Structure formats: structure tokens, C-alpha cells
Amino acid sequence: MSYDCAIVGGGPAGLNAALVLGRARLNVALFDNSQPRNRVTHASHGFITRDGIEPAEFRRIAYEEVLSYPSVRHWQDEVTDIRRTDNGFSLRTSSGEYVNARRLILAAGLKEVLPEIEGLSDFYGKSLFNCPFCDGWELREQPLVVVSDNPSVFHMVKMLLNWSQDLVVCSNGHDILTAEQRQQLASKGIRIVDTPVTAFSGKNGLLERVHFSDGTHIERSGGFITPTLLPKARFDEALNYQTAENGGIITDPMGRTTAAGVYAAGDSAYVMPSQLIYAAASGSKAAVSVVADLTEENWQLL
Ligand SMILES: Cc1cc2nc3c(=O)[nH]c(=O)nc-3n(C[C@H](O)[C@H](O)[C@H](O)COP(=O)(O)OP(=O)(O)OC[C@H]3O[C@@H](n4cnc5c(N)ncnc54)[C@H](O)[C@@H]3O)c2cc1C
């Protein structure tokens, strides 16, 4: 059997795509290996009707809704290889199964590379986060640290003032701020520490101190850190779709990539801001494109 559409990745992007396709009565093969980007956190924010929901509960509800449509089939498995065929695509899973589909939606998300700082994994997702829109409210009016090796930190710090006025910026030894930016931050009372960060400490995921390589420390109860974002799965060599310099899949506004029959959604297409609701919306758009394109193809065959 050939499915109408295969979806690689069952996060909000892939799940919303599956929902739209299932409701359009297309046969869908949905693959997911359960490594969503936000799995380290206990609560997701900013998705209307689901503000504050546990990520696992969000997924439970989403899978329940999607799999109530009889034409959607779910594989709890990793897609390891995708090849183009005469009629579409052949996907191979880690358990050695092959599945064919006429169209393909890539929604595999991103993986984060965090700086190697002792204790970071104890606090990331609990009191250290990457996105103020997702978790700024929970840290409002607290003494915060911003650790970044990315020049975008200046913009982020300005934004963070909406949530807290008590900010310390740690460049972690990187040259990320211009003299003009340093002067502007100083004029707003924002301290910059350039000494590398060696450790975070605190209790039960709640940050208390940031430690530096010169033996000093500062007291902070939370903050933000900028991870490097990389594609979680890459099929560009086999499928020949174009990617941006950062590895994000380039699409048109409706999720079509530069390769015929291949669509992309969510974090893997670097849909920004990187949030659940944008990922879900882009999954919906990619699915509408698949339905529209298959409708045209089927019409010619009638
Ligand atoms: C700490 C943290 C907190 C966050 N908090 C929020 C928040 O409060 N609100 C908010 O809106 N956003 C939040 N985000 C961002 C949010 O997690 C992402 O924007 C969102 O998950 C993107 O959805 P996606 O479907 O593109 O990718 P994901 O949710 O990452 O889903 C991709 C899925 O594809 C699967 N997959 C990958 N490769 C394969 C493969 N080869 N085969 C099969 N399956 C595969 C993965 O296992 C995963 O389940 C947070 C992120 C982090 C890191």
C-alpha cells in the first residue's frame, strides 16, 4: 500500500498536519520517536486553551485526537532513510520496515546544543529557559541571568526588561557585544560579566547561584540561555531540498520545500518564533498544500 502522505515527526507540527490530512480523508503514515524539543520542561505556555499544560499531556491529547481519524496510522519509530521512488517516497524505519507515500512532510524538529556548564541540565527547563515568551512570566520580577555566546543577546536583553529589571548578562568569555551595546546596557544598570561561567547551583531545579572561573559567584533565581539549534534529522542529500545556512529547511509560505512533493513544518523549517502554536499552524498549512497538490494530481488522473 502507498500512503497519500508520510509525516516524519509527531510534535505539534506533524500532529496538526496529520489532523488536517486525516480530516481530509487522506491515508497518513505518521512517524515519531518521542524526543520532542520541550521534553525537559514541566509546563508549556502561550497556546490558547492549553496554557501551562504539561508537554506529555499536550501530546496525549493531540495523539488521541489525531488517531481518532481512521485513515491516520502511527509508527512509534525513527525514520532513518528516505528515498525517492517513481510514485513518491520510500521511508525506512529503525526497525527495518519500509513504507511508501506519495507526499512527504518533514516535521522532525530541532535539537539543542547547550554550552558545557556544570549543573546546567539540572536547571534547564525548570528555572533556566531559552524563550522569554514561553517562560518569562514564571520568572517575572526575579533576579535573572542571561548566558549567551550569541550576538542576538543584546536584543534578547532589551526584550527581557518586560519581565524583570534585575538582569546580569554573562558573555561566557565570548566577544558578543559591541562597545556601544555595552555602554547602552551599563546606562540601564545592566551588569555584564565576561568571565566564563563554570557552574550553576541550587536546589530541586531552582537556580540559586552562577559560578565563574575566577572563583566568584552571583546570586540569581533563574534566567535564560541561548542554545545552538541544529536540525534533528537531515534528509537533504537524498531528497535534494534547499536548506538555509543554519540547516533550516527552506519553504514557501505554505510549507512547500524546493523539492517536488516534499513539505516541511515547525522547528525543522525554522518557523519563528519557535513555539508550539507556530509549529502547529505551519503543520496545518503544509497539510493544506498536500491536499491541494494531490487534488490537482488526482483530477488529472480521473
Ligand atoms: C525548555 C523549552 C521550553 C519550551 N517551552 C515552550 C513553551 O512554553 N511554549 C511554546 O510554545 N514552546 C515552547 N518551547 C518550544 C517548543 O518546544 C517547540 O517550538 C516545538 O516543540 C516545535 O514543534 P515541532 O513539532 O516542530 O518539533 P518537536 O516538538 O521537537 O517534535 C518533533 C518530533 O519529531 C520526532 N523526530 C525527530 N526525528 C525523527 C525521525 N527521524 N523519525 C521519527 N521521528 C522523529 C521527535 O522525536 C519529536 O517528537 C520550548 C522549548 C524548550 C527547549
Side-chain angles (χ1 to χ4, degrees):
M1 163 183 185
S2 184
Y3 286 83
D4 294 310
C5 186
I7 302 173
V8 181
L15 284 163
N16 219 111
L19 178 65
V20 171
L21 293 170
R23 289 182 51 76
R25 308 181 67 210
L26 298 195
N27 290 315
V28 178
L30 170 66
F31 298 89
D32 187 73
N33 65 346
S34 296
Q35 298 287 308
R37 187 167 151 221
N38 63 349
R39 63 191 181 282
V40 293
T41 188
H42 295 307
S44 287
H45 303 103
F47 197 123
I48 194 76
T49 77
R50 294 288 177 263
D51 193 36
I53 193 168
E54 252 189 87
E57 177 64 1
F58 182 96
R59 281 168 71 85
R60 190 195 63 73
I61 296 169
Y63 274 95
E64 190 177 285
E65 288 180 357
V66 164
L67 297 178
S68 71
Y69 291 90
S71 64
V72 182
R73 185 171 162 203
H74 172 221
W75 277 258
Q76 172 77 38
D77 206 347
E78 182 185 352
V79 173
T80 52
D81 190 34
I82 307 177
R83 294 286 147 101
R84 215 175 254 285
T85 63
D86 289 346
N87 306 317
F89 305 91
S90 168
L91 294 85
R92 193 183 71 203
T93 70
S94 64
S95 51
E97 200 171 341
Y98 286 84
V99 173
N100 294 321
R102 293 169 71 191
R103 292 291 190 274
L104 177 67
I105 296 179
L106 299 173
L110 289 171
K111 63 179 169 206
E112 302 191 326
V113 181
L114 291 161
E116 289 199 6
I117 300 175
E118 190 186 320
L120 174 52
S121 59
D122 295 341
F123 303 100
Y124 189 57
K126 299 186 184 80
S127 54
L128 284 173
F129 300 95
N130 67 74
C131 157
F133 288 98
C134 299
D135 299 288
W137 172 260
E138 284 62 41
L139 299 181
R140 67 194 181 281
E141 292 176 19
Q142 293 185 34
L144 302 182
V145 66
V146 185
V147 181
S148 180
D149 60 5
N150 193 311
S152 65
V153 70
F154 182 66
H155 171 72
M156 187 180 196
V157 170
K158 283 204 274 185
M159 187 90 85
L160 276 172
L161 287 174
N162 290 300
W163 287 276
S164 174
Q165 307 286 310
D166 185 355
L167 302 174
V168 176
V169 180
C170 295
S171 69
N172 205 14
H174 294 96
D175 186 19
I176 49 165
L177 291 162
T178 64
E180 162 70 16
Q181 289 171 338
R182 285 174 179 273
Q183 199 246 320
Q184 283 192 32
L185 292 175
S187 74
K188 313 280 182 222
I190 297 170
R191 189 177 155 203
I192 304 162
V193 180
D194 290 311
T195 316
V197 178
T198 50
F200 295 106
S201 64
K203 278 192 211 87
N204 303 323
L206 300 178
L207 183 69
E208 291 172 4
R209 282 183 203 89
V210 182
H211 303 264
F212 299 99
S213 61
D214 60 3
T216 60
H217 72 262
I218 53 173
E219 313 265 327
R220 300 279 96 185
S221 58
F224 292 87
I225 191 155
T226 50
T228 302
L229 302 175
L230 298 172
K232 211 176 264 169
R234 292 198 78 144
F235 300 105
D236 44 330
E237 273 187 27
L239 300 175
N240 212 18
Y241 53 79
Q242 242 182 305
T243 57
E245 216 170 283
N246 57 17
I249 304 171
I250 294 173
T251 70
D252 74 6
M254 287 302 287
R256 293 180 182 89
T257 73
T258 53
V262 183
Y263 309 72
D267 276 4
S268 60
Y270 273 63
V271 168
M272 292 291 150
S274 169
Q275 287 189 283
L276 302 163
I277 201 155
Y278 289 87
S282 69
S284 176
K285 287 202 281 185
V288 168
S289 299
V290 169
V291 176
D293 295 348
L294 282 179
T295 302
E296 282 306 315
E297 196 173 294
N298 293 343
W299 183 259
Q300 300 304 326
L301 295 174
L302 279 180

